[in-house]
Amino acid sequence: MRKLHLNAFLMGVGHHEAAWRTAGADPSRVTDIRHYQELAQIAERGKLDSVFLADSLSFWGDIKYHTLGGLEPVTTLAAMAAVTEHVGLIGTVSTTYNEPFNVARKFASLDHISHGRAGWNIVTSAFESEARNFGGDLPPHAARYVRATEFVDVVTKLWDSWADDAIVADQDQGIYADKEKVRAVDHKGHLFKVHGPLNIPRPPQGRPLLVQAGSSEDGKEFAARYAEAVFTAQPVIYSALAFYADFKGRLAKYGRDRDDVAILPGLSPIIGSTEAEAARLQEELGALVVPESALGALSDVLGVDLTDHPLDEPLPEIPGVNEGQRSRAGVVVAMAKREGLTVRQLLSRLAGNRGHRVVAGTPERIADEIEEWFTKGAADGFNVMPPTLPGGLEDFVDHVVPELQRRGLFRTEYDGTTLRENFGFARPAVAHA
Amino acid sequence: MRKLHLNAFLMGVGHHEAAWRTAGADPSRVTDIRHYQELAQIAERGKLDSVFLADSLSFWGDIKYHTLGGLEPVTTLAAMAAVTEHVGLIGTVSTTYNEPFNVARKFASLDHISHGRAGWNIVTSAFESEARNFGGDLPPHAARYVRATEFVDVVTKLWDSWADDAIVADQDQGIYADKEKVRAVDHKGHLFKVHGPLNIPRPPQGRPLLVQAGSSEDGKEFAARYAEAVFTAQPVIYSALAFYADFKGRLAKYGRDRDDVAILPGLSPIIGSTEAEAARLQEELGALVVPESALGALSDVLGVDLTDHPLDEPLPEIPGVNEGQRSRAGVVVAMAKREGLTVRQLLSRLAGNRGHRVVAGTPERIADEIEEWFTKGAADGFNVMPPTLPGGLEDFVDHVVPELQRRGLFRTEYDGTTLRENFGFARPAVAHA
């Protein structure tokens, strides 16, 4: 039987860009490790599969208005591991600006530190501003995926370079490891030459969980080949159903089953004890958005300067944006047209969801939505994006999760101790040549 | 008044290569985060300045005999930060196989996570086996230091890219940061182009502590320019006095004072409640060394195959090794000659110290040695290398530290909360151009 999976996507003091301005919000928590440790503990209290930290290697917005500049994901997850026992720990690391040996090692280490709870969200770093922190020009999209493919290949070889029983630790004879079972990988590819072995024993999970969120054609093929969990932005169930069917259909050609990958659309739940309270909360958050800030960000996304465009009129025609394409610009333009939004309304929407599904309502209403998407085959679970943190995650864990448990949709206890066990995946065997 | 500084150099289950074979040793602790967390807590109980994790990007010995393959330092230190409050956390990261933006970020993050306790031990990765994990050929020594120099320059610029008061967090106006105070570094050097700013606020210490251990001419000049703590291997006080005087003399040309850098020779204390007990412990450890293993390692160091050389005879003439040079081979040959050691005796010595000072004796005897080196100007403190862990560190903290405190040589309480405060260094101001 399919099981529902829930991941808590943690971002500073909340996913809503105005979260830090709400009453009671403490913006200094953005760099406070206790904040992230508490969030992991809240997620674990809710029996969530995992927590997830996104990343970029430059600002993705305007520091004047946005609480940018948080902690680095993998160091943060290591400190979160120290105060939790069950919840999975997924961190984002780029294949474009790192070396496979270092990344293999970092996640193997996190997997040992957390006793098998590490996951790697693989990104290729699409911003020009990131490229400028690493020497200059952004490699083309396709080249980034070529590198990512060989990169992941090398990383998995390195994780497999120690057999599970390589360590003998024979104290009497003084033999620590069986050298036949700690093997060079001797990778000689187009982009990387890596001899190995990794200088860290095989991770407890065999391989940390591989996660991906690409929505381009290259991204989906890459995910179909490697990913075990996929994050995706789907604002409505129709697009989610299409994405789900399309993606699951790509797996067979890589020799994989439909159940080998969990598809987790983003879901931003705005929770109230009544519908009216939830709607009011959503309004309040929207009203705290600084239009100047949001307009600048929207201009960047659409590639058109909108800073002089009247806020209470619809979006103008945006040249060169095809609504059918999977780009962020296409998604935004399509949403504005579909819902007949003024620019002000569009900004308010985007502030809270960045193209993801937003549901404002009671815990029952949010559970209904989750149940519908899950049972209709639009999702295997959700990447939960609380508008405010820690409050929004606490509300989800204390009110939505119990409702899902009452309906028999979500676990009431952890089944195992590793992230793979949370997702129901077997531990991979060593793939020795 | 000069103050004595003590750093605990942690390495698996002990610095002695046979530590894992001793009664009660648990080799599985090499990858057990609780082991490292306990060691940090023991160091903190002893009011030590810091703990330190070395690193290499390949095995530095034979996995058949050695407990190689531990955790990655920075993830480990992040998890150690979670269970301690005062002890400094120094991790090794290579400038040859990383990018400055990533390294600046990793240590800034560790510094935030630990509330100002991060230190970076800067290495340039001298092994051919490391180069083979990153594409191939080892860059020449001088080229590695040229890279290290520009690398550290970029990293410190990135740490300085946010002014200390850059975050405004004006919730009423919706202004998070003063953009004038978060500035691009716009570095365009011979090797790196890095635009910046760093996407993480200025570290609590301003800059994490810079540590170095190079003993070559290039290494010492590099350290004289940047390092705030220097680790060094000095088997006897004469060499330590010479190193200390030479190194302190190099500081003026970089506009630095003698007190701006703490010189910490390695010290491996073999502690017994009597001299006889300590000697017996040293014997027992030496007897557990597998000669075949040690002979292989010595052959590698000297560049000569010694595996058929009789163990109970002196070292043969080693062609091409100049005893006066600062290389490891030169140090080893000089020590063997000076002390008239057979190969077996030499192997036993090297097993326990890798060229560092070893003192076997009572806590008073070890405190005498520390006092002598400190007061005579051979050291500002010590990089303590317990032969076994956790036992050797517990003995040091419970017996040697109290003796040093009784003599008024070592702190009885922490003065501040950051690593810089432990070392008595001021917080650096932002160096804006």
Side-chain angles (χ1 to χ4, degrees):
Chain A
M1 199 187 98
R2 280 171 75 223
K3 292 198 176 167
L4 179 74
H5 300 289
L6 295 173
N7 171 71
F9 181 175
L10 308 178
M11 181 169 280
V13 293
H15 280 273
H16 197 287
E17 70 171 70
W20 70 276
R21 299 185 63 193
T22 57
D26 177 0
S28 75
R29 285 183 168 226
V30 169
T31 51
D32 182 351
I33 190 63
R34 282 169 302 208
H35 174 60
Y36 298 95
Q37 290 173 326
E38 283 167 23
L39 293 173
Q41 289 170 326
I42 294 166
E44 188 160 282
R45 190 172 85 215
K47 317 295 178 201
L48 267 53
D49 294 73
S50 43
V51 296
F52 161 58
L53 296 175
D55 198 37
S56 63
L57 296 166
S58 66
F59 296 137
W60 50 259
D62 188 340
I63 187 73
K64 179 172 179 184
Y65 302 109
H66 298 279
T67 51
L68 305 171
L71 303 171
E72 185 277 336
V74 182
T75 44
T76 305
L77 293 170
M80 292 159 79
V83 300
T84 52
E85 284 177 33
H86 289 281
V87 73
L89 304 161
I90 302 173
T92 301
V93 171
S94 169
T95 53
T96 300
Y97 302 115
N98 285 288
E99 289 283 338
F101 193 89
N102 291 335
V103 172
R105 199 160 171 243
K106 190 186 310 223
F107 280 101
S109 189
L110 182 62
D111 209 46
H112 281 285
I113 287 170
S114 64
H115 302 285
R117 296 186 283 136
W120 173 24
N121 178 45
I122 305 161
V123 297
T124 69
S125 303
F127 298 153
E128 294 278 356
S129 56
E130 298 179 287
R132 286 197 293 273
N133 290 330
F134 295 87
D137 297 331
L138 180 64
H141 189 273
R144 296 203 310 273
Y145 273 99
V146 167
R147 181 179 167 102
T149 300
E150 189 177 330
F151 196 112
V152 173
D153 193 32
V154 177
V155 167
T156 52
K157 284 183 192 176
L158 287 166
W159 285 336
D160 284 356
S161 63
W162 294 52
D164 288 318
D165 58 353
I167 297 176
V168 177
D170 181 337
Q171 290 173 303
D172 287 343
Q173 298 298 314
I175 306 298
Y176 180 64
D178 180 345
K179 282 182 83 163
E180 294 298 308
K181 295 182 174 171
V182 183
R183 317 238 297 243
V185 305
D186 204 17
H187 176 92
K188 288 176 185 144
H190 293 291
L191 296 168
F192 300 111
K193 276 171 62 184
V194 179
H195 190 264
L198 195 62
N199 59 348
I200 180 167
R202 194 153 195 256
Q205 293 186 100
R207 300 176 188 172
L209 197 78
L210 297 181
V211 181
Q212 223 262 344
S215 57
S216 67
E217 195 57 28
D218 284 341
K220 282 188 281 196
E221 285 302 307
F222 178 85
R225 186 163 170 179
Y226 290 113
E228 300 171 290
V230 167
F231 296 147
T232 176
Q234 302 297 339
V236 291
I237 193 168
Y238 308 104
S239 68
L241 284 164
F243 178 88
Y244 189 98
D246 172 79
F247 187 86
K248 296 272 177 171
R250 293 171 191 252
L251 294 168
K253 71 170 162 259
Y254 298 105
R256 308 181 70 197
D257 290 335
R258 293 171 64 86
D259 298 340
D260 290 348
V261 185
I263 295 182
L264 309 175
L267 173 67
S268 185
I270 302 184
I271 304 168
S273 56
T274 63
E275 295 290 320
E277 186 186 317
R280 195 164 58 239
L281 184 54
Q282 188 171 24
E283 279 298 310
E284 285 168 6
L285 281 163
L288 289 171
V289 172
V290 178
E292 185 192 334
S293 142
L295 214 47
L298 182 61
S299 300
D300 287 346
V301 167
L302 300 181
V304 168
D305 184 359
L306 293 171
T307 44
D308 289 331
H309 190 81
L311 287 170
D312 295 307
E313 292 187 11
L315 210 57
E317 276 305 309
I318 308 293
V321 171
N322 175 348
E323 293 163 39
Q325 76 193 43
R326 301 292 314 161
S327 73
R328 185 146 159 59
V331 169
V332 166
V333 170
M335 178 169 77
K337 285 214 178 152
R338 190 175 56 238
E339 307 188 28
L341 303 175
T342 65
V343 170
R344 189 188 299 277
Q345 288 168 328
L346 178 63
L347 294 178
S348 169
R349 287 295 174 85
L350 293 176
N353 69 8
R354 306 195 308 278
H356 290 273
R357 179 68 174 167
V358 179
V359 185
T362 62
E364 294 72 26
R365 164 85 185 78
I366 290 159
D368 288 348
E369 180 92 5
I370 289 172
E371 183 168 2
E372 184 188 6
W373 285 44
F374 179 65
T375 56
K376 287 193 173 158
D380 297 313
F382 290 87
N383 193 21
V384 181
M385 302 165 63
T388 62
L389 289 167
L393 183 61
E394 284 182 314
D395 286 345
F396 186 84
V397 158
D398 293 339
H399 302 295
V400 180
V401 166
E403 179 62 26
L404 294 169
Q405 290 168 331
R406 264 192 295 278
R407 300 183 188 188
L409 283 167
F410 194 60
R411 70 172 70 86
T412 53
E413 291 300 336
Y414 285 104
D415 300 316
T417 61
T418 72
L419 175 56
R420 287 190 174 278
E421 286 166 347
N422 293 349
F423 272 98
F425 296 138
R427 184 174 186 278
V430 165
H432 258 322
Chain B
M1 200 188 97
R2 280 171 74 223
K3 292 199 177 167
L4 179 73
H5 301 289
L6 294 173
N7 171 71
F9 182 176
L10 308 178
M11 181 169 280
V13 293
H15 280 272
H16 196 286
E17 70 170 71
W20 70 276
R21 298 185 64 193
T22 57
D26 177 0
S28 75
R29 284 184 169 228
V30 169
T31 51
D32 183 352
I33 190 62
R34 281 169 303 208
H35 174 60
Y36 298 96
Q37 290 173 325
E38 284 168 23
L39 292 174
Q41 290 170 326
I42 293 165
E44 189 160 281
R45 190 172 86 213
K47 317 295 179 199
L48 266 53
D49 293 74
S50 43
V51 296
F52 161 57
L53 296 174
D55 198 36
S56 63
L57 296 165
S58 65
F59 297 137
W60 50 261
D62 187 340
I63 187 73
K64 179 172 178 184
Y65 301 109
H66 297 278
T67 51
L68 305 172
L71 303 172
E72 185 277 335
V74 183
T75 45
T76 305
L77 293 170
M80 291 159 80
V83 300
T84 51
E85 284 178 34
H86 289 282
V87 75
L89 304 160
I90 301 172
T92 301
V93 170
S94 170
T95 53
T96 301
Y97 303 116
N98 285 287
E99 290 283 339
F101 193 88
N102 291 334
V103 172
R105 199 159 170 242
K106 192 188 305 223
F107 281 102
S109 189
L110 181 63
D111 208 46
H112 280 286
I113 287 170
S114 64
H115 301 285
R117 296 186 284 135
W120 173 24
N121 179 45
I122 305 161
V123 298
T124 69
S125 303
F127 299 153
E128 294 279 357
S129 56
E130 297 179 287
R132 286 197 294 273
N133 291 329
F134 296 87
D137 297 331
L138 180 64
H141 187 272
R144 296 202 309 274
Y145 273 99
V146 167
R147 181 180 167 103
T149 300
E150 189 176 332
F151 196 111
V152 172
D153 193 32
V154 177
V155 167
T156 52
K157 284 183 190 175
L158 287 166
W159 286 335
D160 285 356
S161 62
W162 293 53
D164 288 319
D165 58 353
I167 298 177
V168 177
D170 181 337
Q171 289 173 303
D172 287 343
Q173 299 298 315
I175 306 298
Y176 180 64
D178 180 345
K179 283 183 83 164
E180 294 298 308
K181 295 181 175 172
V182 183
R183 316 237 300 243
V185 304
D186 204 16
H187 176 91
K188 288 175 185 146
H190 292 290
L191 295 168
F192 301 111
K193 276 170 63 184
V194 179
H195 190 264
L198 195 62
N199 58 349
I200 180 166
R202 193 152 196 258
Q205 294 186 99
R207 302 176 186 171
L209 196 77
L210 297 181
V211 181
Q212 223 263 343
S215 57
S216 67
E217 196 56 31
D218 284 342
K220 282 187 281 195
E221 284 302 307
F222 178 87
R225 185 162 169 179
Y226 290 113
E228 299 170 291
V230 167
F231 296 147
T232 176
Q234 302 298 339
V236 290
I237 192 168
Y238 308 103
S239 68
L241 285 163
F243 178 89
Y244 189 98
D246 171 81
F247 188 86
K248 296 271 177 170
R250 292 171 191 251
L251 295 168
K253 72 171 162 254
Y254 299 105
R256 306 180 71 197
D257 289 335
R258 293 172 65 86
D259 298 340
D260 289 347
V261 185
I263 296 182
L264 309 175
L267 173 67
S268 185
I270 303 184
I271 304 167
S273 57
T274 63
E275 294 291 318
E277 187 186 315
R280 197 166 55 241
L281 184 54
Q282 188 171 25
E283 279 298 309
E284 284 168 5
L285 281 163
L288 288 171
V289 172
V290 178
E292 185 192 335
S293 142
L295 214 46
L298 183 61
S299 299
D300 288 347
V301 167
L302 300 182
V304 168
D305 184 358
L306 293 172
T307 44
D308 289 330
H309 189 80
L311 287 170
D312 296 309
E313 291 187 12
L315 211 56
E317 276 304 309
I318 309 294
V321 172
N322 175 349
E323 293 163 40
Q325 76 194 41
R326 299 292 314 161
S327 72
R328 187 146 157 58
V331 169
V332 166
V333 169
M335 178 169 74
K337 286 212 181 156
R338 190 175 56 237
E339 307 188 27
L341 303 175
T342 65
V343 169
R344 189 188 300 276
Q345 289 168 328
L346 177 62
L347 295 178
S348 168
R349 285 299 172 83
L350 293 175
N353 68 7
R354 307 196 307 279
H356 290 273
R357 179 69 175 167
V358 180
V359 184
T362 62
E364 294 72 26
R365 164 85 184 79
I366 290 160
D368 288 347
E369 181 93 5
I370 289 172
E371 182 168 2
E372 185 188 6
W373 284 45
F374 178 67
T375 55
K376 286 191 175 160
D380 297 312
F382 290 87
N383 193 21
V384 181
M385 303 166 62
T388 62
L389 289 166
L393 183 61
E394 284 182 313
D395 287 345
F396 186 84
V397 158
D398 293 339
H399 302 295
V400 180
V401 167
E403 178 62 26
L404 294 169
Q405 290 168 331
R406 265 191 294 277
R407 299 183 189 188
L409 284 167
F410 194 59
R411 70 172 69 85
T412 53
E413 292 300 334
Y414 285 104
D415 300 315
T417 62
T418 72
L419 175 55
R420 286 190 174 278
E421 285 166 348
N422 293 348
F423 272 97
F425 296 138
R427 185 175 186 278
V430 165
H432 259 322

